[in-house]
Every structure is written in C-alpha cells, then in structure tokens.
Amino acid sequence: MTPKFQDNTYWMLSFREGKHDAFRKVFNEHHRSLYYLATKMGLEREEAEDIVSDSFTKLWHGRSSFSNEEHIKGFLVTTTRNACLNLVSQKKRRHLSHNELSYILADHEEDFFRKMVESELLRKLYPHIEQLPKKCKAVFKQIYLEGASTEEAAERLGISTRNVLNQKARAIQLLKGKLLLLLLICSFLHIYNVVTAENTSNKSLHQAFFKKSEKSFCQKAHTRCLYGCTR
Amino acid sequence: MEKVDKIVALILKYRGKTLTEEESNELELWLSEADENRSLFNELVNDESLAVRLKIFDEVNSEAIWAKSMDQVASTGAVVPLRSGNNSWWKYAAAAAVILGVSIVGWQYLKPGKADSVTSKQGASKDNFGIVPGSSKASLTLIDGSTVALDKSTGQDKIQQEKVLVTRSNGQIVYTGGSEHPAVGSKVLFNTLTTQKGGNYRVILPDGSVVHLNAASSLRFPIAFAGNERNVSLTGEAFFEVAPMPRKPFKVKIETPAGDGGTVEVLGTRFNINAYSDVSLVRTTLLHGSVKLVTPSAVQKVLKPNQEAIVNKRGQIVEVREVDGEKAVAWQKDKIELSGNIEEVLQDIARWYDLTVEFKGKIPNLSLTGQIERTLSIDEVEGVLRKQGLVFELRKKERIIVLI
C-alpha cells in the first residue's frame, strides 16, 4: 500500500467524493480476493468476473456512506458472498433435490471462514509479487506460478538462461523478508547456481550442495528445488 | 473479520518463522478446532499449493472486471465524471443509506460478537437486550431535503452546499464559508440537525456559535446567517454558546409538541433550553450573559445568570427561580443530574438509554441526589437508583422503566 492509501482521512474523503484514483485503489486492493472467493464458492470464471464487477458497481453507488477501509471490505465481501450464494442456488436448483440443495446452501460459516483466510492470505502476499520489477516479475511468475524450468522460462520469455537465473536471484533478493520464506531456501541454491557452477547440471549441483548442508534444511530445499529447477 | 485477520497474521508469522510461543499456541488451538483447518494450513504453508492459489490470483482479468463495473456505473444513470472531484455526493446519500444498511447487517453476520463499540457492548451483555448508553450520533437534513447520517468516527467528511462547507469530525459539524458570502442567493437555505434517543451532537454554526444538541432533539438553522438576525429553531434540548454580535441578535424559536414555545433572544451568552416533548414545560437556564424570553403571548422577561424560567404549555411564565446553572447543563458534560423533578430525571435517563418510562401509580414523592456518568451501563444506573430508594421495574426486553 502506498502512503497515500494509508492516509485514512485523505483517501476516504476522495473515495466518498467519487475520485477515480481512490476508487481504483480500492478496486486494486480487493478485486482479486473477491474473485478468488467467488471461484472458491464454485463459480465459473466469467460468473465470478460478473459478480465481482457488480459488487464494485454497488460499492460505487454507496460510496458516500463508508467510513473506513474495513467497512468497505466488509461490504464487498458480504455483497460478493450473497451474490455467489444466489447464483449457486439458481444453478443447482435444476439438478438437485430439495434436501441436497439446502445442504449446499447451508454455506457453513466455518467453511466460509476458511475461504476468507485463504483469500486474505493471498491478498497480503500477492502485492509483493506485483511490485517486482517487470522482467523480474515475469521470470518469477514463469518459474514459481507456472512451474517452468529455467530453460522453459528462458524460451517463453525469449531471454537467455543466464538472464533468467539472474532475474530470479534478483526477485529472491527483493522478496527477502516478505514472508515468502520457504521460497527463499530454494533461491539460495539458485544464487549458488549462478555464482559457482553455471555449467554444471542442476542435479549434480544439488547433490554437491546437499552434502554441505544440514539435513533438515536440505530436505525442504530439495522439495522446492525439484519443483523450481528440474521441471 | 478480526478473527480472519488474526489467523492470517499467525500463518504469515509461521511462514516467516517469527511466531512467539503464545502465538504458536493460539495457532495450534485454531488448527485443532477442525481437520479442515489443519489441511488448509498445510496447503498454505506449502509452496507448491500456495503457488497454485497465487496463480488463480494472478490470472484474474482485472481490466475486464473494472470495465464491466464502470459500464454499469455509467448505464445506471449515475453520471459522475470519473476523473474530477464531485461535490454532489450527498444526492446519493439516500440510496447509499440503503446499501449501508445491507452491508452492516451482512457484516455483523460475518463477525459475530465483534464489531464497533455498540455491538460489542451488546454482545458482552446479551441480557441487556441492546440497552446501551447513548453516543455522538445524529442526522443532518441538507438544503435539498436529503439526509446524511453523522457518527462519532474520527475521520473527516466534508459536504459543500452552495458556498458553505460543512465539515464533520469527532461528534461535531462545523459550518464555514457562510460569512464570506452572507447572501447565499436570495432565499435562506436551512439545514436540520436531528438526534434520536441515545444520540447527541454538536454543531458550530456559520457565526461561530456552538450548539450542543441533546438526545431526541432537533435544531433547524440557516447555512449562512443573512439579514440582521440570526434565527434558529429548536425542539428538545440544547445548550447554546452564542457568539456575540451586538447588531445581529441570536433568536431561538422554541417548538414544543404543544406548539409555539416562545423565543429566546440573545446577544452573546451561554444558556440551556429544555423543551422536550415529554416534559410539559420549557425550561430556559442562563449560565452567563443575558437573554430575553418572549412567550407566545408576547410577555417578555429578561433572565440573569443562574436563573431559570419555566414556561408552561399555555405559554405563560410560571416561575423564574435561582438555580445552580451547572446542574441544568450536567448533560452537556456527559452526566445526568439526579436532583430535581423525578419524572424529568427518569425521562432524561430514558432518552439517553433509549427507553420509555411508564408511571403506574402516583409519581413518588422522593428526591434523588448526585449525578451519574452517561457512560454507565444500564445495570449500573439501575443500581444507583435502587440504592437511593426508588422502587421500579426495569423491563429490558420491552425497554421500559415502570414506576410502581
């Protein structure tokens, strides 16, 4: 969040007055987690998009009555959740018996709580990825989110493998301490990779590294590395 | 929602390996509540499954959602230039109030037992059936007839009406800009500040005068004082601190349910007017300066400091007496004065805690003493009254005090 956004009185005022920038800030802050909630509640991609955009339309119309960010978030979550429940029930009604339907629609609080935990955790982590420099972010997304190998990433992005590795190391540097910690363990291997043995195969490098390392550390790193490096 | 935030914070700390022992226990407690909690946790601390989730986040078609939403905004006739400031937001206040209502209901559903002070108090003492002390809240009717809700939140709001700016913060609204433009058009434009039971609010008028409105009251006033008089009208009770303007007298028109309650004319002074609908008389108490009472029957009476004039329903001055002025305005310092007419004392309490009073028999011939804080819980108030020997029944569910 930018400092401006945290300035509660200033941005809330702009938000209520319908200033484009403030509204867009709120949108950026919340639309992904709402979309995520909607898909978790069983909606298809397009349905989720429709519901989330509806929620923001409603927020726009009611903007003058909000007093703080929590309040806005609460409104968005509730509106989205209710719309999802309505749509799910419409869809299911055709195929299910009354009992089955009411079971599904019970929408247990506990379940929803867990969905909220997920979407909120992601909402907090995702901006760290988004804030990476452009190339760095592209590499990071290829490797971490798409599960691409260094070579695949290089090919897809049209850059050298060396460049991929450098960008990755940079991403890790920038994400250090941003609570994507398990990821960092793997990253050290890659930095090692870049620095010491660029021409050695990944596999033998890992083996060499593991010999030097503590056992528990290695096991965690190994899992991550298989994913990040050899696929 | 607080609990969601808490759990998320714990998971993040776990990922960052910065959990304290206490936090670790807290997390473990949640994990042990349900198997689903544990399996979710395992997935969220595992990078592979976290990556799958972040991928969904990443693939969101943000611009499509944004465009759809903005299209809908445009097509619903809310013609608001998106990139410019907009001073007419109060036009949407009515519609907004409906949406707000929905959101609050839904939101409380999401976070049972937690919320702002009011709901938390309700949650803490369920047997009180939501009977809580009053707070800073009111509604403001604007020149176009729309109404905005005012609360005690510390943030600041601004409303522009003609040349006059209204700023809300901390249980108070301030009118500015009117003096530079004394003639706001040819017509006089009014706002009305209204409190319900359990509410109170302060307004600083365009001339700098301060009016503190007690519960279940209203004040109608022009957004700028044009002409050679400052005229406002009052129902209920308010404390005035009038800015001195020798050539521009300040006049309070008192409206009672029984009709015209007369006028109080001032030149610069502090005084209290009590003209509640449930009190049969209008009491004007002067603390400082000088006021002139003009009854509906045009009888005039000048009051001195620490004098109180009582006007009856027929508009006659029935008594002028020496009083302790500070006692009359105890409410203004967030206290309820217990000495005095027992009926009025109980009505005061009822107005603050949003109750009604029922007198089954004769009004007891008993006088209470002292003051109580308006922040006390209803149980504490009940205790004080009983200690002083008042016999009554408090039916919390029906929100009634019955004097037997």
Side-chain angles (χ1 to χ4, degrees), chain B residues 77 268 309 340 351 397:
Chain B
R351 267 190 299 276
K397 202 172 170 188

Side-chain angles (χ1 to χ4, degrees), chain B residues 269-300:
Chain B
T269 197
R270 298 171 64 219
F271 62 102
N272 189 73
I273 297 174
N274 179 326
Y276 275 123
S277 49
D278 43 16
V279 176
S280 48
L281 310 161
V282 176
R283 284 192 292 130
T284 306
T285 315
L286 181 67
L287 270 76
H288 183 263
S290 157
V291 297
K292 182 167 73 182
L293 233 69
V294 183
T295 68
S297 50
V299 176
Q300 300 194 359

Side-chain angles (χ1 to χ4, degrees), chain A residues 9 13 16-21 23-24 27 31-33 35-36 39-40 45-46 49-50 52-54 56-58 60-67 70-71 73-75 77-78 81 109-114 116-126 129-130 141 144-146 179-183 220 223-224 227 231, chain B residues 1 3-5 7-8 11-13 15-17 30 33-34 36-37 40 44-48 50-51 53-66 68-70 72-73 76 78 80-87 89 92-93 95-97 99-100 102-104 106-107 109-110 151 153-158 168:
Chain A
T9 47
L13 185 60
R16 277 196 293 265
E17 284 179 352
K19 296 264 169 64
H20 174 275
D21 290 351
F23 196 73
R24 181 71 205 213
F27 178 84
H31 76 281
R32 288 179 201 274
S33 54
Y35 175 91
Y36 187 83
T39 56
K40 278 277 155 179
R45 205 192 161 99
E46 273 211 7
E49 284 181 6
D50 283 347
V52 174
S53 60
D54 281 353
F56 280 100
T57 307
K58 286 171 190 156
W60 170 266
H61 289 305
R63 69 192 176 282
S64 59
S65 57
F66 291 95
S67 55
E70 267 304 287
H71 192 177
K73 185 164 99 180
F75 172 81
V77 168
T78 309
R81 182 197 196 187
E109 284 303 307
E110 288 299 304
D111 277 345
F112 189 72
F113 183 88
R114 278 186 286 274
M116 282 297 294
V117 167
E118 260 185 75
S119 72
E120 275 295 292
L121 183 87
L122 295 171
R123 191 172 76 83
K124 293 226 159 84
L125 288 178
Y126 187 76
I129 300 176
E130 272 308 282
K141 281 184 178 177
Y144 188 59
L145 300 184
E146 305 294 329
L179 305 163
L180 291 159
L181 191 94
L182 297 185
L183 197 70
K220 270 184 191 163
T223 330
R224 185 63 206 103
Y227 181 77
R231 240 198 256 171
Chain B
M1 201 61 208
K3 193 175 174 200
V4 170
D5 290 344
I7 300 296
V8 168
I11 297 175
L12 286 173
K13 280 189 174 174
R15 285 186 65 91
K17 292 196 187 339
W30 180 69
E33 275 172 16
E36 289 93 335
N37 291 358
L40 174 66
L44 292 178
V45 297
N46 172 289
D47 277 355
E48 280 79 15
L50 185 64
R53 288 172 163 80
L54 279 168
K55 196 177 164 189
I56 300 177
F57 241 63
D58 191 50
E59 285 169 351
V60 173
N61 194 344
S62 305
E63 292 317 309
I65 297 174
W66 173 256
K68 227 178 255 178
S69 183
M70 288 300 108
Q72 285 167 359
V73 166
T76 44
V80 180
L82 284 185
R83 287 204 173 271
S84 75
N86 172 322
N87 289 327
W89 59 262
Y92 303 105
I99 292 173
L100 179 62
V102 170
S103 85
I104 288 172
W107 192 228
Y109 177 55
L110 272 180
D151 61 16
S153 61
T154 47
Q156 223 182 46
D157 295 334
K158 289 190 166 65
R168 181 204 65 78

Side-chain angles (χ1 to χ4, degrees), chain B residues 74-323:
Chain B
S75 67
T76 44
V79 214
V80 180
L82 284 185
R83 287 204 173 271
S84 75
N86 172 322
N87 289 327
S88 58
W89 59 262
W90 69 81
K91 283 183 186 158
Y92 303 105
V98 174
I99 292 173
L100 179 62
V102 170
S103 85
I104 288 172
V105 169
W107 192 228
Q108 291 182 346
Y109 177 55
L110 272 180
K111 45 172 183 179
K114 303 194 183 74
D116 53 35
S117 58
V118 175
T119 38
S120 69
K121 273 177 190 152
Q122 286 172 347
S125 49
K126 271 201 183 105
D127 53 337
N128 274 343
F129 296 98
I131 301 176
V132 292
S135 61
S136 290
K137 54 187 186 237
S139 63
L140 182 66
T141 308
L142 303 166
I143 53 176
D144 62 352
S146 65
T147 301
V148 286
L150 306 171
D151 61 16
K152 61 182 168 198
S153 61
T154 47
Q156 223 182 46
D157 295 334
K158 289 190 166 65
I159 306 172
Q160 185 84 36
Q161 296 178 99
E162 300 289 338
K163 297 274 171 28
V164 177
L165 185 67
V166 188
T167 312
R168 181 204 65 78
S169 68
N170 272 329
Q172 165 173 303
I173 45 174
V174 184
Y175 283 71
T176 45
S179 53
E180 288 86 15
H181 309 274
V184 183
S186 51
K187 54 190 185 298
V188 182
L189 302 165
F190 288 95
N191 280 186
T192 305
L193 182 66
T194 309
T195 55
Q196 303 298 323
K197 279 185 169 182
N200 78 123
Y201 223 83
R202 284 158 64 90
V203 54
I204 299 181
L205 297 173
D207 64 338
S209 296
V210 182
V211 184
H212 189 169
L213 203 58
N214 204 354
S217 305
S218 77
L219 184 78
R220 184 169 182 262
F221 53 91
I223 62 167
F225 287 116
N228 23 357
E229 279 183 1
R230 295 172 284 169
N231 291 309
V232 302
S233 32
L234 171 77
T235 68
E237 179 169 26
F239 180 74
F240 292 81
E241 287 177 80
V242 175
M245 288 171 88
R247 265 172 250 138
K248 210 168 177 176
F250 190 98
K251 293 188 179 178
V252 185
K253 178 108 191 50
I254 302 162
E255 317 268 7
T256 73
D260 188 350
T263 312
V264 174
E265 292 179 19
V266 236
L267 291 173
T269 197
R270 298 171 64 219
F271 62 102
N272 189 73
I273 297 174
N274 179 326
Y276 275 123
S277 49
D278 43 16
V279 176
S280 48
L281 310 161
V282 176
R283 284 192 292 130
T284 306
T285 315
L286 181 67
L287 270 76
H288 183 263
S290 157
V291 297
K292 182 167 73 182
L293 233 69
V294 183
T295 68
S297 50
V299 176
Q300 300 194 359
K301 173 74 193 168
V302 176
L303 289 188
K304 294 185 194 128
N306 289 321
Q307 275 190 337
E308 180 172 88
I310 299 173
V311 176
N312 70 8
K313 273 183 181 169
R314 274 171 291 171
Q316 297 159 327
I317 299 178
V318 290
E319 193 184 356
V320 177
R321 58 183 184 189
E322 305 292 323
V323 292

Side-chain angles (χ1 to χ4, degrees), chain A residues 69-124:
Chain A
E69 202 184 346
E70 267 304 287
H71 192 177
I72 292 174
K73 185 164 99 180
F75 172 81
L76 286 171
V77 168
T78 309
T79 309
T80 304
R81 182 197 196 187
N82 290 344
C84 288
L85 287 174
N86 284 342
L87 190 61
V88 169
S89 73
Q90 265 176 37
K91 283 167 66 180
K92 298 269 160 93
R93 198 163 287 148
R94 286 172 226 140
H95 310 292
L96 293 174
S97 73
H98 185 73
N99 279 348
E100 285 171 309
L101 187 66
S102 56
Y103 175 75
I104 284 165
L105 292 180
D107 179 44
H108 303 288
E109 284 303 307
E110 288 299 304
D111 277 345
F112 189 72
F113 183 88
R114 278 186 286 274
K115 286 174 185 135
M116 282 297 294
V117 167
E118 260 185 75
S119 72
E120 275 295 292
L121 183 87
L122 295 171
R123 191 172 76 83
K124 293 226 159 84

